Amino acid sequence: MSRSAQKLVAWIVLIGVFIGLQPLNDALSYNRLVLGYARPTPVTKVLQFDAPAMTGIIVGAMMGGFREVAASMLWMKTHSMWHSGEGTKWDHLSLMRMTTLLDPHWLEPWRITAWHCAYNLYVETDDPKEQARLLDMGVNVLKEGISWNPDRFELYFELGWTYFDKIRDYPEAARWLAAAVRFEHPEHIERLIAHAWERLPDMEKALMWYDYCIKRRPSDHTAKGATITIRERYMPAERLVQQRRYDEAAEAVQQYLLVYPTSTLGLHMMGYVYEQAHDYEKALEYWSLAAETLALNHYARYKVAELCERLGWPVPEYASHIYMREQELRKEMAVTHEVN
Amino acid sequence: MPAGVQSRRAARVREVADIALAIRTENLTKIYDVGWGRQHVGIEELNLEVETGQIFGLVGPNGSGKTTTLKLLLGLIFPTSGAGEVLGEPMGDPRSKNRVGYLPEGPYFYEHLNAPELLRMYGSLFGMGGAALDARIQELLELVDMWDRRDYRIADYSRGMLQRVGVAQSLINNPDLLFFDEPTSGLDPIGAKDIREVILRLRGEGKTVFLCSHLLKEMEPICDNIAILSRGRLVTEGSVAELLRGDRLRYRLELREPDEELLAKLQGNAEEVLWLEETCRLLFADRQAAFDAAAQAEDEGGYVLAAGPDRRTLEEVFIDAVGEVSVDASDL
Amino acid sequence: MRAIFRVARATYYEGWRKRFLNGILVFAILIIGSSWVFTYLQPGAELKMLIDVGLGSIRFFGMLIAVFLGSRLVPDEIEKRTIYTLLSKPVTRMQFLLGKFFGGLATVVSNMALMGLTFYIVFMIKAPQFAQPTEDSPAYKMEFMYENIAKAVLLSFFEMAVVMGIAVVASVVFSWILAAIFSFFVYFTGQMSEFFGHLADPDTGASPVARVVLLTVYRVLPHFENFDVRESILTDVPVIWSYVGMTIGMGVLYITIVLALGYLFFNQREV
Ligand SMILES: Nc1ncnc2c1ncn2[C@@H]1O[C@H](COP(=O)(O)OP(=O)(O)OP(=O)(O)O)[C@@H](O)[C@H]1O
Ligand SMILES: [Mg+2]
């Protein structure tokens, strides 16, 4: 074969193979997704040119196969700094944040970073504004983590738990926990949803979830016990409220409060009964009690602020994170309204 | 007979007798592009014909294009224009490679091998193997005096040892045409002599040897034909005998410090008088005049050093030829 | 064939004698061999860490070896002038290039196989223990883990074959340093080829010109991320053979393209 003929053959092979390669590449990309070998960058992040995500992708690619290892190393470094007391908590936060960007499919760093914001950094300050900012930060970290890992229960659960345990925004907690149970998950999450509704208190929803737990596993003693408690202690009060027999309802709860005077549930229930009875002053009294017994009870603090506003009283300093967020939201909505 | 006529006649003889040409180039030109629009001349418009069975010497000063020519003929680099044939195939054609051996300038090989391993690898590329190859390897290593040191790794070789193994590897396939680029560089005098003997023996076996060198003293006794390159151009070419003789044969008489009186007498018949330190060289047009002058000098008490045909050394030819071109080049 | 094999064999043995390669190998084996030591720092994530460090090191160091070896195979021959005697023998340029490529590949694969073996041993000893449930984490499923790891290592062989092909061919065109940089660049951007595909999506609002560029990058770059199946190892999803086969097929096709380019370039390369 002459040299030019060989060259022609080389070109033909080159172009032929290149064309043949394209469907194979497409098939592989599809298969990776379907078979679960890849956890690709969420398309929304790409479409929105999400800056931290882009940075993470590029830095990660530059580390090649070592991307996850680099994340692990960074995590270990954070760990050791933490234990040796080296660096401030803010230093730790930035290291943690970097880890989440390097390996966004690693759930642990998202969890710990959010926890660090909402719990550790939170107690460093007494300024309610700063505290609210930190809680928001924690929540946003988890939401970002969820956007990377939307098909795993862990981060939904973590977010639900943060709302439940820290922020005590029970409707939000129930919402995120319900999102978690759409995926493979441990049983206790469903009970937690029931707890959240119970605390609100929304006894109907709580019972519904406990019911679900018992149906799924008839030997679920916790759910059974909770169901009995609700039916015995709170349902009578709830039914009385529905019949507008508010005084009797308050009486029923009061009996329980005599035994457990600081019970969050009992106090919430009292607040709820009086609110339904339009006795806002009384309701405020109980919600304040709940907020004072448990310093971190944001939901109670929110109710306090809400009721003060309704009564036209000054909103107390400590008005909660949730309340401040709502204020901001209202302001924003007003602005958009004006624009429109 | 002028060189031009000679070669024209040689071409006709070849045509008639069908003597094959081992190498032929036609206006072979290589200009190296060295970037930023600058160019180096490798060789320009080179026309060469090398008959089979010859030892052909390509000589020229450093950078005159010898290695360039070899690489072109072997297909390691590609011509800017012109063409060439090696053993009847276009140069660089893989078909001719089975019959070609090449010793590059300053050869080097895979460091982790020793000489027999290297030769075995190269031999196997020609499809050789088994006891025949082993015998060939021993024969070649003995030829270049490396058999005793066959266990040494190439990484540990001296410059001359590399050169020796380089010669051996070029012969592994018993080639018909050999390209040697500075074959004796780095060798001790005995080694150089050995290599020259190898080259002569190869000619005895009917092989063609294409030699590149600037060591004129070495080329002179062994080459049949010589081409002189300077700055990429062929300046002169011909058989060694022709080149050394010059255009016409003259006769010389050399005296040691002749006195003025004697010199004046002899000078009359001489065509040219040259002083080389204490030696005075007189050149005569014919043999008789030279011998007469010698007799006269003897008679008058002069000290005759030598008398005979005036052969130039290759060095003189070379300096003449290269010098001419240098002048030409500066005119350009 | 004979010529390719001879050149490959010599290249393979030369490869083992390269100091920097030995250095990388020793370092890699040390890291892989001791990967389990560091896992105590991460309770609950020991297995993840073990797999990340082990397989990550194999890929990363394999890539380093492929790039540095590949980009110097041909330039070293030219620089040391060993290529002259070879090409004057009955060895065509294509045979020479293939011989260099396959010889170098054999070196890379045997280096990586050593790393893989080290990892496999460490994994077999340590993984069952790490897979136990702890307070923070449930037990790991380990149904497919062993075979998935073997498949992951197999895929990374082919990944590095593509990387080395690119390095070898680039070194024919550029100097070896430039070729190494170029290969790293292609490797790293190839890790993100899927991402370029997304960016070329009409919804990103990228300009038509940018989209054409992005789509070209997406179509031309080897999709190196396809060789990475580590995610499935941790979640214990079986890596099916048809996927492995297709990915290897993709690798082989890329190598074919790269070598065809190599032929075109090397045939007019002066040495
Ligand atoms: N690779 C190259 N790139 C650019 N120029 C080159 C190259 N190789 C040779 N040249 C130039 O070509 C000319 C001829 O070089 P060549 O090596 O053929 O000389 P040579 O006759 O073999 O010299 P020497 O006796 O020193 O070996 C020189 O001017 C040289 O600078
Ligand atoms: Mg030279």
Side-chain angles (χ1 to χ4, degrees):
Chain A
M1 224 182 340
S2 76
R3 259 181 71 148
S4 54
Q6 285 177 11
K7 240 172 130 168
L8 190 69
V9 169
W11 274 112
I12 290 171
V13 167
L14 211 154
I15 293 168
V17 171
F18 179 73
I19 292 169
L21 195 59
Q22 300 310 323
L24 185 59
N25 265 337
D26 293 342
L28 274 173
S29 306
Y30 173 75
N31 275 344
R32 280 173 73 70
L33 272 183
V34 172
L35 296 171
Y37 302 162
R39 306 188 55 79
T41 311
V43 179
T44 47
K45 294 211 179 293
V46 179
L47 298 188
Q48 293 159 3
F49 288 100
D50 182 76
M54 296 283 188
T55 318
I57 288 169
I58 290 164
V59 172
M62 295 216 305
M63 306 240 167
F66 245 36
R67 171 181 188 153
E68 285 84 358
V69 182
S72 292
M73 303 275 170
L74 205 57
W75 198 237
M76 267 161 49
K77 175 74 187 154
T78 321
H79 228 274
S80 70
M81 276 175 73
W82 181 283
H83 285 288
S84 66
E86 189 189 331
T88 66
K89 288 188 177 167
W90 290 98
D91 297 339
H92 301 159
L93 178 66
S94 54
L95 282 180
M96 288 172 177
R97 186 78 186 100
M98 231 136 66
T99 317
T100 62
L101 287 182
L102 263 183
D103 188 358
H105 297 304
W106 186 11
L107 305 177
E108 176 94 350
W110 289 114
R111 238 160 44 77
I112 304 288
T113 310
W115 169 77
H116 190 62
C117 293
Y119 287 76
N120 295 336
L121 292 172
Y122 181 92
V123 299
E124 297 274 289
T125 170
D126 290 328
D127 176 9
K129 284 221 169 64
E130 181 65 8
Q131 287 182 337
R133 195 176 73 84
L134 286 164
L135 289 178
D136 264 345
M137 203 190 274
V139 165
N140 288 337
V141 164
L142 283 171
K143 284 184 177 164
E144 194 184 338
I146 287 171
S147 73
W148 282 97
N149 303 282
D151 53 351
R152 303 275 295 264
F153 85 91
E154 284 94 336
L155 297 181
Y156 292 105
F157 168 69
E158 194 66 26
L159 186 52
W161 176 256
T162 309
Y163 275 123
F164 180 90
D165 181 62
K166 181 72 193 182
I167 304 172
R168 290 173 198 258
D169 183 348
Y170 299 109
E172 274 297 281
R175 195 160 82 85
W176 288 103
L177 292 172
V181 300
R182 285 179 301 150
F183 309 97
E184 204 180 326
H185 64 281
E187 279 180 11
H188 66 82
I189 297 184
E190 278 133 11
R191 284 204 299 273
L192 198 59
I193 300 176
H195 283 315
W197 289 123
E198 188 182 331
R199 288 266 179 94
L200 198 54
D202 184 334
M203 295 310 167
E204 247 170 74
K205 286 204 174 103
L207 278 178
M208 197 183 81
W209 277 99
Y210 282 130
D211 214 36
Y212 175 86
C213 293
I214 298 166
K215 276 204 186 105
R216 198 191 47 193
R217 196 163 62 85
S219 62
D220 189 337
H221 296 294
T222 323
K224 272 187 195 162
T227 309
I228 292 166
T229 315
I230 292 177
R231 287 198 192 287
E232 280 186 354
R233 289 187 191 148
Y234 303 111
M235 277 319 277
E238 172 78 36
R239 267 188 224 106
L240 289 169
V241 168
Q242 275 162 20
Q243 294 162 22
R244 295 172 194 273
R245 289 152 68 184
Y246 300 115
D247 289 343
E248 286 166 71
E251 189 81 6
V253 182
Q254 194 63 48
Q255 273 172 16
Y256 177 63
L257 269 181
L258 283 176
V259 189
Y260 301 104
T262 58
S263 154
T264 313
L265 231 168
L267 292 173
H268 285 194
M269 198 68 197
M270 283 304 271
Y272 166 72
V273 170
Y274 282 117
E275 198 179 338
Q276 294 296 313
H278 300 284
D279 186 349
Y280 299 123
E281 280 182 41
K282 261 284 203 293
L284 179 62
E285 192 179 307
Y286 279 101
W287 281 114
S288 306
L289 217 59
E292 276 155 30
T293 0
L294 214 96
L296 291 178
N297 193 337
H298 278 267
Y299 187 65
R301 278 154 64 178
Y302 167 70
K303 289 307 272 187
V304 169
E306 195 189 49
L307 289 168
C308 284
E309 207 184 16
R310 179 164 281 182
L311 288 166
W313 296 359
V315 175
E317 267 287 296
Y318 67 75
S320 80
H321 162 63
I322 312 174
Y323 177 75
M324 294 200 303
R325 262 251 307 284
E326 204 172 284
Q327 294 289 316
E328 268 164 36
L329 223 72
R330 268 188 226 160
K331 252 184 257 163
E332 263 172 44
M333 296 224 318
V335 170
T336 36
H337 211 76
E338 265 170 39
V339 170
N340 289 342
Chain B
M1 201 185 327
V5 175
Q6 178 101 9
S7 67
R8 245 173 284 140
R9 204 182 68 183
R12 225 172 305 127
V13 168
R14 268 199 315 269
E15 243 169 63
V16 174
D18 197 24
I19 295 173
L21 277 180
I23 296 169
R24 199 167 62 85
T25 68
E26 231 172 74
N27 299 328
L28 193 58
T29 301
K30 175 69 190 177
I31 310 289
Y32 290 102
D33 238 318
V34 285
W36 287 288
R38 290 193 308 133
Q39 294 184 325
H40 285 177
V41 175
I43 54 166
E44 259 182 316
E45 304 280 322
L46 181 67
N47 291 297
L48 279 184
E49 288 189 345
V50 179
E51 285 173 30
T52 42
Q54 282 195 341
I55 298 176
F56 186 93
L58 190 61
V59 299
N62 293 130
S64 56
K66 305 181 293 289
T67 303
T68 300
T69 311
L70 272 195
K71 284 187 175 177
L72 282 168
L73 290 172
L74 285 156
L76 295 172
I77 57 176
F78 308 107
T80 313
S81 65
E85 265 178 26
V86 173
L87 297 174
E89 310 281 359
M91 58 187 189
D93 192 291
R95 278 167 295 188
S96 60
K97 284 181 176 176
N98 274 313
R99 295 167 58 204
V100 165
Y102 173 43
L103 167 69
E105 191 176 16
Y108 207 74
F109 312 100
Y110 290 130
E111 289 185 340
H112 65 283
L113 301 173
N114 60 29
E117 285 166 354
L118 179 80
L119 294 185
R120 199 163 297 125
M121 174 188 161
Y122 282 160
S124 69
L125 290 175
F126 290 100
M128 304 163 75
L133 180 58
D134 289 342
R136 177 82 183 146
I137 288 169
Q138 180 169 2
E139 181 193 341
L140 287 174
L141 289 180
E142 278 170 353
L143 183 74
V144 295
D145 197 20
M146 284 294 293
W147 183 245
D148 300 336
R149 289 174 285 184
R150 60 183 176 274
D151 293 335
Y152 288 34
R153 304 260 142 214
I154 286 174
D156 307 328
Y157 273 13
S158 73
R159 177 80 188 75
M161 287 161 81
L162 279 170
Q163 195 74 21
R164 285 162 193 265
V165 170
V167 172
Q169 65 80 27
S170 70
L171 296 171
I172 187 83
N173 57 329
N174 196 15
D176 298 327
L177 172 60
L178 278 145
F179 292 98
F180 284 163
D181 201 348
E182 317 268 359
T184 55
S185 84
L187 290 181
D188 53 46
I190 298 173
K193 188 176 131 282
D194 287 348
I195 297 293
R196 283 199 299 277
E197 274 166 14
V198 169
I199 291 170
L200 288 171
R201 215 174 76 188
L202 287 168
R203 178 177 59 184
E205 291 168 12
K207 311 209 180 288
T208 315
V209 183
F210 190 103
L211 275 179
C212 289
S213 181
H214 51 254
L215 294 176
L216 299 158
K217 288 210 176 65
E218 283 186 355
M219 301 288 269
E220 191 178 324
I222 59 172
C223 287
D224 299 312
N225 277 302
I226 276 181
I228 298 179
L229 283 182
S230 176
R231 303 196 177 189
R233 283 188 173 274
L234 183 65
V235 286
T236 174
E237 170 198 25
S239 73
V240 173
E242 272 171 19
L243 289 177
L244 296 187
R245 196 165 55 221
D247 294 341
R248 78 202 155 89
L249 189 56
R250 292 192 292 187
Y251 290 83
R252 73 159 77 130
L253 171 65
E254 283 180 8
L255 301 169
R256 183 170 177 176
E257 292 190 325
D259 51 47
E260 299 217 345
E261 195 186 331
L262 172 62
L263 195 58
K265 282 180 189 161
L266 299 177
Q267 230 169 357
N269 289 333
E271 288 188 339
E272 209 178 330
V273 179
L274 294 170
W275 277 93
L276 303 160
E277 290 169 22
E278 295 153 16
T279 310
C280 174
R281 181 186 290 174
L282 295 118
L283 294 168
F284 299 92
D286 60 285
R287 190 168 175 265
Q288 198 53 51
F291 283 139
D292 289 347
Q296 191 178 359
E298 291 263 87
D299 290 346
E300 306 210 354
Y303 191 150
V304 177
L305 287 169
D310 174 41
R311 284 198 186 282
R312 298 189 293 172
T313 62
L314 196 51
E315 202 167 331
E316 287 167 316
V317 176
F318 183 82
I319 290 166
D320 266 4
V322 171
E324 264 169 41
V325 172
S326 310
V327 173
D328 283 350
S330 63
D331 288 346
L332 287 174
Chain C
M1 263 340 267
R2 190 170 57 210
I4 297 174
F5 175 71
R6 296 289 158 184
V7 176
R9 201 171 68 165
T11 308
Y12 176 72
Y13 288 117
E14 282 275 306
W16 274 107
R17 294 170 55 85
K18 296 246 189 310
R19 291 257 160 69
F20 70 94
L21 290 193
N22 301 345
I24 293 178
L25 178 64
V26 169
F27 187 64
I29 285 188
L30 279 180
I31 287 195
I32 295 168
S34 58
S35 52
W36 59 275
V37 175
F38 305 104
T39 54
Y40 79 93
L41 282 167
Q42 271 199 53
E46 291 99 342
L47 200 59
K48 174 191 158 45
M49 177 124 187
L50 188 68
I51 291 173
D52 278 349
V53 172
L55 289 183
S57 302
I58 294 174
R59 268 182 98 198
F60 184 71
F61 291 113
M63 189 268 300
L64 281 190
I65 294 178
V67 169
F68 282 121
L69 182 70
S71 61
R72 293 190 58 167
L73 284 176
V74 176
D76 268 7
E77 288 258 353
I78 295 174
E79 211 166 287
K80 289 191 167 176
R81 302 187 303 280
T82 45
I83 195 174
Y84 295 152
T85 42
L86 261 181
L87 285 188
S88 66
K89 304 277 183 288
V91 179
T92 64
R93 283 171 176 241
M94 191 59 188
Q95 285 168 333
F96 174 79
L97 197 69
L98 288 177
K100 292 312 285 182
F101 171 73
F102 284 115
L105 186 59
T107 316
V108 173
V109 167
S110 33
N111 274 276
M112 287 175 72
L114 278 181
M115 297 183 214
L117 199 67
T118 313
F119 176 58
Y120 223 83
I121 293 171
V122 172
F123 187 80
M124 286 210 290
I125 297 171
K126 287 286 164 188
Q129 170 190 335
F130 290 153
Q132 299 300 319
T134 63
E135 276 174 34
D136 305 316
S137 65
Y140 276 101
K141 285 183 289 174
M142 287 188 61
E143 212 177 323
F144 304 104
M145 225 173 242
Y146 289 99
E147 59 171 299
N148 278 353
I149 288 177
K151 284 172 185 166
V153 174
L154 177 70
L155 286 177
S156 57
F157 288 163
F158 282 88
E159 178 177 20
M160 295 322 149
V162 177
V163 174
M164 208 183 73
I166 292 170
V168 169
V169 172
S171 75
V172 170
V173 186
F174 316 125
S175 72
W176 78 263
I177 296 186
L178 210 59
I181 294 171
F182 176 80
S183 313
F184 282 131
F185 184 75
V186 171
Y187 180 73
F188 292 138
T189 36
Q191 294 283 335
M192 308 188 278
S193 52
E194 205 57 50
F195 172 67
F196 289 115
H198 287 318
L199 280 182
D201 194 289
D203 295 351
T204 49
S207 72
V209 180
R211 281 186 47 215
V212 168
V213 172
L214 286 165
L215 208 59
T216 313
V217 170
Y218 172 71
R219 288 288 164 199
V220 171
L221 277 186
H223 293 207
F224 284 118
E225 65 224 328
N226 287 353
F227 291 102
D228 185 358
V229 291
R230 260 179 300 174
E231 185 61 34
S232 62
I233 298 176
L234 275 172
T235 49
D236 210 35
V237 178
V239 178
I240 55 177
W241 275 112
S242 72
Y243 178 84
V244 175
M246 272 165 78
T247 312
I248 290 178
M250 176 196 82
V252 170
L253 290 186
Y254 264 112
I255 293 169
T256 314
I257 290 181
V258 164
L259 290 179
L261 277 175
Y263 171 82
L264 290 169
F265 288 129
F266 194 52
N267 249 359
Q268 51 202 33
R269 170 80 149 94
E270 309 215 312
V271 293

